[in-house]
């Protein structure tokens, strides 16, 4: 049986994204929009800088939960809102932090809420992972 | 945006064969370090046919569906004003290397909100046997011109 309680912190994670990370994700995903690797293009469309792909942020943010869960359960649903862009500095990159807490326990589904921050701001909203943990 | 898009179902995408090295490449790109994502032996020992793709890999298959939507001549979508607003995946199972996946995109909703248009596209992804694997739901926001 699950001994989790709502509000309990499960795990945290931290990833440093650099321009290399963005180019690598562009190649892996096929999303070659130049706002993710060219400062001049980002500036020309009014962005504050080169941005991480939203899907890269979403992809890395769930990993701590996957690692925590291991073979104890299965992923049922994962959803996010892209609320703020993640600006990736050309020199130092940016650190993205993830905190995963138990958001709700509904029958056999555990909802895990993620707080995902970069540059001292949360960057994803309503970031929720639903898992079915084995009894 | 063309309001009549709502409810439109696009034809199935060409089958996408999930390669082992693509799964490893994508796993590295999203910082997925589990042996299940990289090591076929570890994946088989855990009951999977081959390496397991990270949860957001379905976006690669969804993209083929979205390409059909964006290429349709009558949508009124201006790609240069599109922002990715929300994304969700609902899983029947995880994608593994060797899967041959087909996507069918349905436009489930078109809304106008504060000068922006919001389009919700649901992409149902199935394997070669026709069994559901994952549904990817995107909310795309088209910013107003003013």
């Amino acid at each position: 049986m699950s001994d989790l309680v709502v509000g309990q912190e499960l795990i945290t994670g931290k990833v440093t994204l650099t321009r290399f990370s963005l180019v690598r994700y562009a190649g892996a995903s096929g999303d070659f929009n130049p706002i993710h690797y060219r400062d001049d293009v980002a500036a020309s469309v009014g962005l504050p800088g080169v941005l991480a792909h939203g899907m890269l942020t979403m992809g890395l943010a769930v990993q701590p939960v996957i690692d925590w869960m291991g073979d104890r359960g299965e992923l049922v649903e994962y959803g996010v809102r892209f609320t703020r862009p993640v600006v990736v500095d050309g020199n130092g990159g940016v650190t993205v932090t993830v905190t995963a807490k138990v958001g709700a326990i509904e029958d056999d589904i555990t909802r895990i809420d993620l707080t995902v921050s970069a540059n001292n701001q949360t960057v994803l909203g309503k970031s929720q992972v639903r898992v079915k943990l084995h009894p | 945006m063309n309001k009549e898009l709502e409810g439109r179902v696009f034809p199935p995408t060409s089958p996408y064969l999930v390669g082992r090295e693509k799964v490893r490449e994508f796993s590295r790109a999203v910082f997925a370090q589990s042996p299940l994502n990289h090591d076929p032996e570890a994946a088989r020992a855990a009951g999977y046919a081959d390496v397991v793709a990270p949860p957001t890999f379905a976006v690669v298959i969804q993209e083929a569906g979205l390409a059909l939507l964006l290429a349709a001549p009558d949508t009124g979508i201006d790609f240069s004003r599109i922002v990715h607003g929300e994304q969700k995946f609902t899983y029947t199972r995880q994608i593994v290397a060797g899967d041959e996946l087909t996507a069918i995109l349905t436009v489930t909703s078109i809304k106008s909100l504060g000068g922006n248009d919001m389009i919700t596209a649901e992409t149902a992804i199935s394997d070669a046997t026709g069994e559901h694997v994952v549904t990817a739901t995107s909310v795309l926001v088209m910013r107003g011109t003013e």
Side-chain angles (χ1 to χ4, degrees):
Chain A
M1 276 307 291
S2 162
D3 52 1
L4 302 176
V5 292
V6 173
Q8 180 182 346
E9 185 176 303
L10 297 177
I11 192 165
T12 61
K14 194 196 267 191
V15 164
T16 299
L17 289 180
T18 63
R19 295 287 171 87
F20 162 76
S21 320
L22 306 195
V23 170
R24 183 174 63 173
Y25 185 79
S29 68
D31 182 347
F32 290 101
N33 187 333
I35 64 165
H36 302 303
Y37 50 87
R38 278 183 55 183
D39 292 278
D40 58 330
V41 174
S44 75
V45 294
L47 296 171
V50 161
L51 307 183
H53 303 74
M55 287 306 306
L56 169 54
T57 307
M58 182 181 187
L60 70 88
V62 76
Q63 290 305 322
V65 174
I66 299 299
D67 293 341
W68 167 82
M69 187 166 66
D71 58 3
R72 292 194 285 156
E74 270 143 49
L75 186 59
V76 175
E77 191 176 279
Y78 176 37
V80 307
R81 284 186 188 157
F82 302 103
T83 49
R84 276 201 196 90
V86 176
V87 177
V88 181
D89 182 74
N91 291 314
V94 65
T95 300
V96 179
T97 59
V98 181
T99 304
K101 286 185 179 172
V102 179
I105 300 169
E106 304 143 349
D107 299 322
D108 58 343
I109 303 293
T110 303
R111 195 190 82 210
I112 298 167
D113 295 348
L114 307 180
T115 305
V116 184
S117 306
N119 299 312
N120 297 314
Q121 292 185 308
T122 60
V123 293
L124 299 179
K126 216 180 166 215
S127 184
Q128 300 180 339
V129 190
R130 284 183 168 77
V131 299
K132 190 185 265 186
L133 298 174
H134 303 313
Chain B
M1 199 176 291
N2 180 0
K3 183 74 183 147
E4 288 173 12
L5 266 181
E6 197 168 273
R8 188 182 298 183
V9 182
F10 284 79
T13 57
S14 325
Y16 179 102
L17 178 59
V18 180
R20 182 187 289 164
E21 299 306 335
K22 191 69 193 178
V23 168
R24 288 170 162 162
E25 179 189 8
F26 192 89
S27 299
R28 287 192 294 272
V30 295
F31 300 83
Q33 289 160 3
S34 163
L36 298 183
N37 302 126
H38 298 276
D39 178 1
E41 289 310 316
R44 283 188 202 110
Y48 297 97
D50 205 315
V51 291
V52 181
T56 59
F57 181 75
V59 74
V60 174
I61 323 299
Q62 172 186 256
E63 208 52 42
L66 286 174
L68 293 179
L69 167 68
L70 298 175
D74 61 340
T75 61
I77 295 173
D78 174 358
F79 185 65
S80 69
R81 288 191 281 134
I82 289 280
V83 176
H84 198 176
E86 297 176 31
Q87 181 67 42
K88 186 174 75 179
F89 299 100
T90 308
Y91 306 92
T92 294
R93 68 169 174 85
Q94 296 304 303
I95 294 171
V96 296
D99 276 336
E100 197 171 291
L101 301 173
T102 303
I104 296 180
L105 181 142
T106 303
V107 177
T108 53
S109 136
I110 302 242
K111 277 188 241 170
S112 289
L113 204 71
N116 297 324
D117 289 322
M118 293 170 70
I119 177 164
T120 305
E122 245 181 57
T123 305
I125 298 172
S126 305
D127 64 19
T129 66
E131 294 290 325
H132 179 259
V133 177
V134 52
T135 294
T137 307
S138 267
V139 178
L140 305 177
V141 180
M142 189 162 89
R143 291 176 294 181
T145 45
E146 65 281 358

